């Protein structure tokens, strides 16, 4: 706390990274120099232009099928951001609903919610996600839905504990006294007062979803080729990594920087919104 | 304490039963398993043979009850691909996963606790922030990419460790380090916050007033109080590591339980898939139960919850 400037700097940097990746993903068709799917077998595995043997047309070189690596990277940003945001929306809806209900009503409802959270935590995350994608077939929608259905636990835990704190506060009692409906109290009194905690959870879950999608795609059971997911790019480049390490460094470092940026942004939000407790 | 123990054990059993159901339903997601196993070239007759052979023609409920009762007696069925008992397959692969998990946990504890203590002793300084930033960076590292990068640096360039396989103990070092990365941030944060609380408490002031050395205060008094929750959370982290080792086992071609599960998914070997899910979940349930009991034994306030 004694060094606010460092924290502020990290938060600003994180937000900038996320913003850049988001914009790059959105504008991918307009800012990429080449089509990310067009192969060119005469120009395979060309190193980035700043390395020996590189050429200026392909800033980050080309992959094993001669596709422009920079264009694939930008389209990959699109997939990562899409997975991150869509997963957070799905898992957020499930987790927040469960957590708020459990925290607000307590008793049997809360027991059921706690049981659901315990079960979810016991299920091996990656294996089950792999199994679902493997059995249902891999597509972007399946990955989003699978991750969304699995990553709601932290939302539920935080929504539950924060709801417990606000449900006994005066303004909730006042709303009861004024004759407000249960739905009104939950949506208008409780939710707005716990939302800042949930925003921080959302950043953590978004980072986790992006890492998991990359891991699933790396294991061949995530986003199907030829889509340029960063995890898939690493998997496809694996055979060549001993001779040209840059092929795994380009998507790997991108993934690392994006996740780091999201985490820094989350830390910044935590400071800004005054949620001091560790969530 | 006994009532607490019984309640926790009952809860653990209920959770295991739910996981049993989930793992069973999971493999039935595709609709018709017989078609999936037979493959695209199979004729209708082949599919029917497979359906009979694996008992898939029976009602779902019968299949489920059989699976639960067999699993309760340790019989997890036979693998289609290996033509062997799944229990045997898992126990043959277990040593690799267990060694990997324990190596990862040891590395994580040996890194996280000293760093957490240093951060707590220098709370609020640049050193503290630097150490905690390492935790954030560790969390952002994609494990499979970190694994491949370490293989390039230490396996190929420096040749300190083998690139894959575990013929010697050196084979466990790189995957162990990668696995440790997943547990270090949580352990470090907990050590730090525990130590910060402990160092600010009255008994530490008393110890200081008695004129004890700094090392004695930190190591004997503060650490003893801060370490207990860390030990308990380590059990939970080991559970996460064992179930998360699937990615690392694949990167380093370690033929452990996770690798078995990954192979089985690719081969539509559903008895193996559902058994590995069940096995990893059970291990996790047991480890969290252990952590709960450890915490309760140390802190009587938790028992009344």
């Amino acid at each position: 706390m004694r060094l606010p400037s460092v924290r502020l700097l990290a938060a600003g940097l994180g937000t900038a990274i996320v913003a850049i990746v988001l914009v790059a993903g959105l504008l991918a068709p307009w800012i990429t120099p080449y089509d990310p799917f067009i192969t060119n077998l005469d120009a395979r595995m060309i190193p980035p232009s700043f390395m020996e043997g590189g050429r200026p047309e392909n800033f980050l070189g080309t992959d094993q099928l001669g596709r422009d690596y920079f264009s694939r990277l930008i389209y990959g940003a699109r997939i990562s951001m899409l997975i991150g945001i869509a997963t957070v929306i799905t898992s957020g809806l499930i987790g927040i609903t469960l957590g708020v209900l459990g925290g607000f009503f307590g008793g049997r409802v809360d027991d059921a919610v706690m049981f659901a959270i315990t079960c979810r935590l016991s299920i091996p995350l990656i294996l089950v996600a792999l199994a679902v994608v493997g059995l249902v077939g891999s597509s972007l929608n399946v990955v989003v839905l699978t991750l969304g259905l699995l990553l709601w636990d932290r939302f539920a835990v935080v929504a539950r504990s924060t709801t417990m704190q606000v449900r006994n506060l005066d303004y909730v009692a006042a709303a009861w006294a004024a004759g407000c409906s249960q739905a009104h109290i939950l949506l208008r009194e409780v939710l707005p007062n716990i939302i800042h905690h949930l925003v921080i959870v959302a950043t953590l879950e978004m980072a986790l979803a992006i890492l998991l999608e990359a891991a699933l795609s790396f294991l061949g059971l995530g986003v199907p080729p030829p889509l340029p997911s960063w995890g898939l790019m690493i998997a496809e480049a694996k055979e060549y990594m001993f001779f040209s390490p840059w092929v795994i460094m380009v998507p790997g470092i991108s993934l690392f920087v994006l996740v780091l940026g999201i985490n820094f942004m989350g830390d910044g939000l935590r400071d800004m919104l005054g949620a001091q407790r560790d969530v | 304490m006994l009532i607490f123990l019984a309640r926790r054990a009952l809860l653990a059993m209920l959770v295991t039963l739910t996981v049993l159901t989930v793992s069973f339903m999971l493999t039935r997601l595709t609709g018709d398993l017989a078609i999936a196993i037979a493959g695209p070239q199979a004729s209708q007759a082949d599919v029917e043979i497979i359906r009979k052979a694996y008992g898939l023609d029976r009602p779902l409920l019968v299949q489920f009850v059989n699976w639960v009762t067999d699993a309760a007696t340790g019989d997890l069925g036979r693998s289609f691909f290996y033509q062997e008992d799944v229990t045997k397959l898992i126990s043959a692969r277990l040593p690799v996963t267990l060694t990997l998990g324990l190596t990862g946990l040891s590395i994580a504890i040996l890194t996280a606790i000293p760093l957490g203590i240093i951060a707590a002793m220098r709370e609020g300084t640049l050193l503290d922030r630097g150490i905690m930033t390492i935790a954030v960076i560790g969390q952002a590292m994609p494990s499979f990419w970190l694994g491949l990068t370490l293989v390039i640096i230490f396996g190929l360039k420096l040749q300190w460790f083998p690139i894959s396989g575990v013929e010697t103990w050196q084979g466990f070092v790189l995957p162990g380090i990668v696995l440790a990365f997943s547990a270090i941030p949580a352990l470090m944060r907990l050590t730090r916050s525990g130590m910060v609380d402990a160092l600010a408490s009255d008994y530490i002031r008393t110890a200081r007033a008695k004129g004890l050395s700094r090392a004695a205060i930190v190591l004997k008094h503060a650490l003893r109080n801060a370490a207990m929750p860390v030990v308990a959370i380590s059990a939970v982290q080991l559970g996460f590591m064992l179930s998360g080792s699937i990615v690392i086992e694949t990167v380093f071609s370690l033929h452990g339980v996770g690798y078995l599960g990954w192979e089985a998914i690719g081969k539509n070997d559903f008895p193996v898939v559902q058994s590995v899910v069940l096995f990893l979940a059970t291990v996790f349930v047991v480890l969290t139960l252990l952590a709960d009991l450890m915490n309760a034994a140390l802190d009587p306030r938790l028992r009344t919850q």
Side-chain angles (χ1 to χ4, degrees):
Chain A
M1 286 301 136
R2 253 181 267 167
L3 294 156
S5 56
V6 178
R7 298 180 69 89
L8 209 62
L9 207 68
L13 187 69
T15 314
I17 292 169
V18 177
I20 290 170
V21 176
L22 186 69
V23 170
L26 285 173
L27 300 181
W30 294 282
I31 56 174
T32 48
Y34 302 96
D35 185 320
F37 301 107
I38 286 184
T39 58
N40 178 3
L41 298 183
D42 294 330
R44 285 181 292 180
M45 301 296 292
I46 291 172
S49 57
F50 47 84
M51 283 171 64
E52 203 180 324
R55 55 184 206 186
E57 302 95 281
N58 301 101
F59 167 52
L60 289 177
T62 61
D63 70 0
Q64 68 285 351
L65 295 174
R67 295 173 293 199
D68 182 51
Y69 227 42
F70 179 66
S71 305
R72 286 184 73 73
L73 195 73
I74 301 291
Y75 270 90
R78 210 174 217 204
I79 293 178
S80 283
M81 290 309 276
L82 184 75
I83 296 263
I85 294 169
T87 305
V88 165
I89 292 173
T90 324
S91 59
L93 280 176
I94 302 171
I96 294 170
T97 311
L98 286 175
V100 169
L101 290 178
F104 192 74
F105 293 111
R108 291 264 170 81
V109 182
D110 192 34
D111 288 345
V113 169
M114 276 313 285
F115 184 70
I117 295 173
T118 316
C119 288
R120 159 52 207 95
L121 285 175
S122 315
I123 290 171
L125 185 64
I126 297 177
L127 186 67
V128 168
L130 284 173
V132 173
V133 179
L135 289 162
V136 180
S138 60
S139 75
L140 204 58
N141 291 341
V142 172
V143 174
V144 167
L145 212 62
T146 310
L147 292 181
L149 289 174
L150 285 169
L151 294 181
W152 50 266
D153 51 289
R154 200 153 25 177
F155 275 112
V157 169
V158 174
R160 177 179 169 272
S161 63
T162 49
T163 303
M164 280 177 166
Q165 284 166 10
V166 301
R167 74 169 171 195
N168 294 324
L169 294 182
D170 288 343
Y171 56 81
V172 176
W176 281 120
C180 294
S181 68
Q182 245 170 28
H184 177 98
I185 290 174
L186 284 178
L187 293 174
R188 291 292 183 78
E189 307 290 341
V190 174
L191 203 55
N193 285 296
I194 63 168
I195 201 82
H196 56 287
H197 295 283
L198 300 172
V199 170
I200 295 155
V201 178
T203 61
L204 291 172
E205 291 305 310
M206 185 172 162
L208 185 59
I210 289 172
L211 282 179
L212 277 175
E213 179 275 322
L216 295 185
S217 298
F218 174 75
L219 293 175
L221 290 162
V223 176
L227 283 180
S229 149
W230 290 349
L232 197 57
M233 284 168 78
I234 296 175
E236 287 170 350
K238 214 178 108 185
E239 299 175 50
Y240 308 95
M241 70 176 196
F242 289 127
F243 309 104
S244 342
W246 59 268
V247 286
I248 69 159
M249 289 305 153
V250 169
I253 291 173
S254 310
L255 203 52
F256 169 59
V257 169
L258 173 60
V259 173
L260 197 63
I262 297 172
N263 286 342
F264 278 159
M265 193 174 78
D267 282 349
L269 282 173
R270 189 185 311 230
D271 291 347
M272 207 171 76
L273 300 170
Q276 297 290 341
R277 271 174 316 102
D278 231 19
V279 285
Chain B
M1 185 69 188
L2 261 179
I3 297 171
F4 173 84
L5 217 145
R7 281 187 55 158
R8 283 300 150 106
L10 184 73
L11 184 72
M13 274 175 69
L14 279 176
V15 170
T16 314
L17 198 65
T18 314
V19 174
L20 259 167
T21 321
V22 170
S23 60
F24 175 81
M25 300 214 305
L26 188 69
T27 49
R28 267 72 183 174
L29 267 177
T30 32
D32 201 331
L33 259 180
I35 294 175
I37 296 160
Q41 274 94 37
S43 67
Q44 188 61 36
D46 292 340
V47 172
E48 287 312 316
I49 292 169
I50 286 174
R51 205 189 298 281
K52 278 244 149 50
Y54 297 122
L56 293 167
D57 52 341
R58 297 166 305 166
L60 265 188
L61 194 66
V62 176
Q63 291 183 42
F64 178 66
V65 171
N66 272 344
W67 151 240
V68 173
T69 43
D70 285 352
T73 56
D75 176 11
L76 296 171
R78 274 176 84 78
S79 155
F80 299 155
F81 183 76
Y82 292 100
Q83 292 299 332
E84 223 181 314
D85 285 343
V86 179
T87 318
K88 247 188 214 156
L89 277 175
I90 291 182
S91 48
R93 305 287 190 103
L94 192 57
V96 171
T97 300
L98 215 55
T99 316
L100 178 59
L102 290 173
T103 312
L105 186 67
S106 315
I107 296 174
I109 288 177
L110 289 176
T111 323
I113 292 183
L115 284 178
I117 294 174
I118 294 170
M121 287 171 66
R122 298 269 183 277
E123 194 200 350
T125 62
L126 255 180
L127 186 65
D128 177 22
R129 280 240 54 87
I131 289 174
M132 294 325 279
T133 307
I134 295 175
V136 180
I137 290 174
Q139 256 170 343
M141 205 91 81
S143 60
F144 58 96
W145 175 69
L146 178 66
L148 294 175
T149 310
L150 292 183
V151 164
I152 292 178
I153 297 172
F154 296 103
L156 185 77
K157 295 265 150 65
L158 299 173
Q159 305 205 333
W160 288 356
F161 300 103
I163 285 165
S164 68
V166 281
E167 283 74 36
T168 54
W169 64 268
Q170 283 100 330
F172 281 107
V173 175
L174 292 182
I177 291 174
V178 179
L179 200 55
F181 260 79
S182 63
I184 286 176
L187 289 176
M188 201 151 90
R189 287 211 177 94
L190 201 64
T191 310
R192 180 182 172 278
S193 62
M195 283 298 282
V196 165
D197 288 347
L199 286 173
S201 61
D202 288 342
Y203 59 83
I204 294 296
R205 208 173 35 189
T206 312
R208 282 222 179 95
K210 279 199 307 188
L212 288 183
S213 71
R214 198 175 168 78
I217 291 171
V218 169
L219 295 177
K220 267 195 179 159
H221 295 263
L223 185 61
R224 191 172 288 176
N225 283 282
M228 282 312 161
V230 176
V231 173
I233 209 75
S234 299
V236 179
Q237 287 293 331
L238 181 64
F240 280 127
M241 281 172 149
L242 291 177
S243 62
S245 74
I246 179 165
V247 179
I248 291 144
E249 286 179 17
T250 324
V251 169
F252 290 93
S253 325
L254 307 181
H255 291 254
V257 179
Y259 195 85
L260 177 71
W262 181 65
E263 280 180 319
I265 292 167
K267 290 175 179 127
N268 264 323
D269 198 345
F270 83 86
V272 178
V273 176
Q274 63 191 21
S275 304
V276 173
V277 171
L278 174 67
F279 173 75
L280 291 175
T282 312
V283 170
F284 185 83
V285 169
V286 171
L287 286 171
T288 38
L289 184 66
L290 218 66
D292 271 356
L293 296 181
M294 249 192 280
N295 273 331
L298 295 164
D299 188 345
R301 283 169 302 180
L302 291 172
R303 286 175 223 157
T304 51
Q305 265 185 7

